[in-house]
Amino acid sequence: MAANAAGGLNEAIAHATRLLGADPGGALALARDILRAAPGHPHALLIEGQALRLTGNAGEALSRLAALARGQPRMLDALWELSQVASATGDSAQAVAALESLTRQQPAAANAWFLMAKELRKLGRTQDAWRADLSGVHASSRNPELLKAAVAMNEERFDAGEAILKAWLQRAPEDAAATRLLGEMIWRRGDLTEAMALVERAVALAPGFDLARDFLIRLLLQANRLPDALAHAEILVTSPLKNPGHDLIKASVLVRLGEQAPAGEIYERLLKLQPNQPQVWQNLGHVRKTLGQQAEAIHAYRQAVTHQPTMGEAWWSLANLKTVKLGDEDVAAMESALASLAPDRREDIFHLHFSLGKALEDAKDYAASFRHYEAGNRIRRAMVQHDAAEFTAEVEATAKTFTAPFIAAMGDGGCPAPDPIFIVGLPRSGSTLVEQILASHSQVEGTMELPEMMIIASRLQARVDEGEFPDFRTMIASLTPGDRLRLGEEYIERTRVHRQTGRPLFIDKMPNNWQHIGLIKLILPNAKIIDARRHPLSCCFSGWKQHFARGQTFSYDLTDIGLYYRDYVASMASYDEAAPGAVHRVLYEDMVRNTEHEVRRLLDYLGLPFEPACLEFYKNDRAVRTASSEQVRQPIFTDGIEQWKNYEPWLGPLKAALGPVLAAYPSAPDRAS
């Protein structure tokens, strides 16, 4: 008889539980029937509390569940239900108390930790909330579903991983760890926008999720959303789990924003705590170099290679200080480092080759120097993607688009702001010198090589690549005056973060923008464009032996760089023909030989009065991030104009690639050539 009674009670409990979702009123009535038959039955009391919450009687539910939790402190379902009702009624203190009891007994309950973090924030206990979020993430990391998804991601089985995570998030939509993992998976598939939205949601769900915030900052940097990245970095460094990596990522954001001095302070503070950090020494060296503090930069780079003799990038950073010459001891140290490195250490190896190339060039051993430059470039070229023929086709499509009739047919439009001055050309063409001269004028602010125009252009090109338009010309022709105004305003707004003074004009020195001058004039008709040009052999060889950290994939092969220069000359000649006078050309050789005359011509083009400070540009202490940062802090010298002649025996591939461009310089070759 007793067994039959127990079985009936269990069946009634199960039935009441099933009713909760579809008929909470019926579940409440059945639970009370059970309690009349079995007063104080814990599961019936739990169903009663749940049903009261679902029928809108939160106050009574809270009272019942609190009593149940006191009487059954190890009943985890009761504690969880109590915490939810307490949260819903605004009783954060009681919610936290219930959750603390629950998580002590079941530390793997991720959802309990995350809810606790929210309630702790309501109570103003921010640091405790942060720790609760971190505990929730730790608990989630042991979730078998998430572990399976992570394995799938690492094996690049993205479809399988996404399916696992999306199914899990259907059941647990507020799981911050699963949301962040899905964001990373989608980022690895190449969708930055969707990935960023998911990681932002993960951080919103669990503000103390440090790894998610760190990842979000990196995504924001990738998207060039620098103010947002800094805001998150400022939060990250306040984490109760102190991590030097948080300070480093904040410093990297500050560097991207041009805030070199505060970034340097972070590096120095970290080095005082732990001097044996070659990467931090190198970062500090970059800051000191940019600020013109050459002695301090040399010291920092020397410290980096002292602590890690095989650190190729630090050696290259030291060699790349144009006013530093590495001696015999340095050459021996680099050769020893090179001999000790395993083949898979390609980054260190090619940096050491470039460094040895520079050291041996300074020693006038040009044959050995060339061998090292060639070895470094060969390794680097194998690590990047650049299709010279495809690039030429893109340049030709642009040139064929922006003809005089096409420009006339597009008519007026774009943002009328006169603020931007674009300096375009190839790297190592003298563009930093032009920038430094102009930035010494009271009306002009120097910024840096800004990526915003390239981001806009890439977004437009994607519309062709994705099939929305059949070709580039059709896509550009589709831009209405309103579209052009919006795009121009976007550029002005996105670059505002880089402007630190009240000067009315600013410089964008991204050299690759020569590919987009037609677009620039469509969306910013009053912008000025300066083409900084240098003798093709001098410019191309200087670029080939200058290792660029990123963005110049054409520069690691003499043929590639020669063809790139040839495409550039053809493109600029085409636009000169379509829009005469729109672009002002500065020849490096003329600038260094007849500086004042060329500066006056430049200022006349910009509509600015002559200022003597432009001739004393080397006294300007602004931050300069390019490879010419030390050179532009000295008066003009002509020593570098014909350095390529020391390597002429080996420049046959470059001369062949340049073809008629070489003989025609400084003019463009005839179209028939």
Side-chain angles (χ1 to χ4, degrees):
M1 293 288 293
N4 289 339
L9 183 61
N10 290 337
E11 187 178 333
I13 291 288
H15 183 50
T17 301
R18 289 192 295 272
L19 284 174
L20 278 170
D23 182 10
L28 177 60
L30 182 53
R32 286 178 169 169
D33 286 344
I34 295 168
L35 287 168
R36 280 191 286 272
H41 192 287
H43 287 97
L45 289 170
L46 175 61
I47 294 168
E48 180 186 32
Q50 292 172 311
L52 285 166
R53 174 175 64 83
L54 292 169
T55 55
N57 297 303
E60 189 178 354
L62 184 63
S63 174
R64 294 279 199 280
L65 290 165
L68 175 60
R70 285 194 298 273
Q72 300 286 336
R74 301 187 67 81
M75 190 176 184
L76 301 184
D77 288 346
L79 291 168
W80 174 242
E81 190 67 30
L82 172 59
S83 68
Q84 292 187 85
V85 175
S87 173
T89 57
D91 191 343
S92 294
Q94 186 159 208
V96 167
L99 290 164
E100 286 176 336
S101 178
L102 192 161
T103 53
R104 275 195 299 271
Q105 298 175 69
Q106 190 173 328
N111 54 353
W113 286 112
F114 290 136
L115 180 56
M116 187 194 301
K118 292 178 182 177
E119 297 307 311
L120 286 165
R121 283 189 176 85
K122 293 176 186 177
L123 294 170
R125 294 169 57 185
T126 305
Q127 294 289 294
D128 290 336
W130 207 311
R131 290 187 176 89
D133 273 333
L134 291 169
S135 295
V137 171
H138 180 67
S140 290
S141 69
R142 290 176 284 179
N143 180 324
E145 294 298 295
L146 271 60
L147 289 172
K148 283 194 293 185
V151 168
M153 179 179 72
N154 291 329
E155 294 176 351
E156 297 188 356
R157 292 185 292 109
F158 298 126
D159 288 343
E162 277 190 44
I164 293 167
L165 289 172
K166 287 177 178 178
W168 174 256
L169 286 167
Q170 286 288 325
R171 303 194 295 275
E174 297 198 349
D175 189 319
T179 304
R180 191 215 70 84
L181 185 57
L182 180 59
E184 181 178 352
M185 196 167 301
I186 287 172
W187 172 72
R188 291 195 187 194
R189 298 191 81 154
D191 190 335
L192 177 61
T193 302
E194 185 181 351
M196 198 148 42
L198 284 162
V199 181
E200 284 177 322
R201 172 166 168 75
V203 170
L205 288 169
F209 192 172
D210 289 351
L211 288 174
R213 195 179 297 276
D214 182 296
F215 185 38
L216 176 58
I217 294 167
R218 297 175 196 279
L219 296 181
L220 291 166
L221 287 173
Q222 191 175 340
N224 208 42
R225 287 173 51 185
L226 302 183
D228 293 336
L230 182 59
H232 283 287
E234 296 280 10
I235 295 170
L236 189 60
V237 295
T238 66
S239 171
L241 294 187
K242 298 304 177 187
N243 183 340
H246 298 163
D247 295 296
L248 288 173
I249 196 168
K250 179 183 175 183
S252 70
V253 177
L254 289 169
V255 166
R256 286 280 298 274
L257 283 163
E259 298 287 345
Q260 306 289 336
E265 290 170 5
I266 292 173
Y267 295 139
E268 288 187 331
R269 175 166 48 81
L270 292 173
L271 288 167
K272 283 179 182 177
L273 295 172
Q274 187 178 345
N276 185 17
Q277 297 186 80
Q279 184 65 54
V280 182
W281 278 115
Q282 178 178 278
N283 292 351
L284 179 61
H286 294 340
V287 166
R288 297 299 173 224
K289 169 183 175 288
T290 302
L291 292 173
Q293 299 165 357
Q294 189 181 33
E296 293 88 342
I298 293 169
H299 172 72
Y301 292 140
R302 288 283 184 194
Q303 286 292 314
V305 297
T306 297
H307 290 296
Q308 187 176 327
T310 58
M311 192 174 189
E313 187 180 350
W315 278 112
W316 170 244
S317 299
L318 189 61
N320 197 32
L321 289 167
K322 304 303 181 189
T323 53
V324 170
K325 294 186 186 300
L326 299 178
D328 292 343
E329 289 185 7
D330 294 315
V331 170
M334 288 188 286
E335 287 176 340
S336 175
L338 195 56
S340 72
L341 287 168
D344 62 349
R345 295 278 295 278
R346 292 190 299 173
E347 290 273 348
D348 288 313
I349 291 170
F350 74 66
H351 275 116
L352 282 164
H353 278 302
F354 276 101
S355 306
L356 282 162
K358 174 63 166 57
L360 292 165
E361 178 179 4
D362 291 340
K364 300 186 178 358
D365 187 348
Y366 300 118
S369 167
F370 186 85
R371 285 196 298 272
H372 280 290
Y373 281 139
E374 187 176 44
N377 274 295
R378 186 170 58 251
I379 295 168
R380 192 71 177 95
R381 180 65 180 88
M383 297 170 65
V384 299
Q385 290 186 340
H386 177 73
D387 186 323
E390 182 179 310
F391 182 78
T392 298
E394 291 174 3
V395 171
E396 289 176 349
T398 301
K400 289 176 182 176
T401 295
F402 291 103
T403 61
F406 181 87
I407 293 170
M410 292 296 288
D412 296 334
C415 173
D419 308 28
I421 301 170
F422 293 88
I423 301 178
V424 304
L426 264 72
R428 310 297 297 142
S429 64
S431 56
T432 303
L433 173 60
V434 175
E435 177 193 37
Q436 188 79 341
I437 288 168
L438 290 179
S440 300
H441 195 283
S442 63
Q443 301 300 302
V444 182
E445 179 175 4
T447 57
M448 60 183 76
E449 296 180 355
L450 306 179
E452 278 77 12
M453 186 56 64
M454 295 182 72
I455 290 171
I456 291 170
S458 295
R459 197 172 69 230
L460 292 175
Q461 180 61 43
R463 299 174 68 185
V464 179
D465 298 340
E466 293 167 5
E468 183 180 349
F469 294 97
D471 53 42
F472 180 80
R473 182 187 179 93
T474 307
M475 182 272 295
I476 292 293
S478 76
L479 297 176
T480 67
D483 293 332
R484 292 157 58 189
L485 173 63
R486 175 179 51 79
L487 289 169
E489 289 176 340
E490 177 189 340
Y491 173 85
I492 295 296
E493 187 57 36
R494 287 176 67 108
T495 54
R496 200 174 302 282
V497 67
H498 300 288
R499 302 177 68 176
Q500 308 298 322
T501 72
R503 297 183 183 188
L505 306 177
F506 74 97
I507 299 167
D508 180 341
K509 202 188 76 67
M510 177 60 75
N512 311 63
N513 278 333
W514 66 262
Q515 302 164 40
H516 310 303
I517 54 174
L519 175 64
I520 289 170
K521 294 301 283 186
L522 276 185
I523 69 174
L524 292 161
N526 294 320
K528 299 294 187 180
I529 300 174
I530 299 164
D531 174 17
R533 188 169 297 188
R534 184 178 177 187
H535 187 281
L537 289 176
S538 182
C539 183
C540 292
F541 177 69
S542 183
W544 178 79
K545 69 189 181 76
Q546 171 71 51
H547 176 258
F548 298 99
R550 60 181 180 274
Q552 311 300 349
T553 57
F554 59 88
S555 68
Y556 304 113
D557 180 89
L558 288 172
T559 298
D560 284 347
I561 199 168
L563 293 173
Y564 184 91
Y565 190 102
R566 190 169 172 169
D567 288 336
Y568 146 74
V569 168
S571 177
M572 299 303 290
S574 176
Y575 199 80
D576 286 343
E577 184 180 325
V583 177
H584 177 81
R585 187 154 295 113
V586 175
L587 300 180
Y588 177 74
E589 296 80 14
D590 291 346
M591 179 62 80
V592 300
R593 289 175 177 142
N594 196 352
T595 306
E596 183 172 344
H597 174 74
E598 290 301 314
V599 169
R600 288 183 180 276
R601 284 185 61 243
L602 182 57
L603 294 175
D604 286 346
Y605 165 73
L606 297 174
L608 294 173
F610 175 78
E611 291 182 0
C614 293
L615 299 180
E616 298 183 324
F617 58 87
Y618 47 87
K619 296 181 179 179
N620 190 333
D621 62 359
R622 60 179 282 269
V624 181
R625 294 180 62 180
T626 65
S628 304
S629 60
E630 306 87 57
Q631 292 166 306
V632 297
R633 292 194 172 97
Q634 306 172 56
I636 280 179
F637 59 92
T638 61
D639 297 355
I641 289 180
E642 295 187 337
Q643 284 182 342
W644 63 270
K645 289 189 174 180
N646 297 319
Y647 295 86
E648 190 165 12
W650 304 285
L651 299 185
L654 174 57
K655 291 180 179 180
L658 287 167
V661 165
L662 181 56
Y665 183 81
S667 300
D670 185 83
R671 291 289 185 91
S673 298

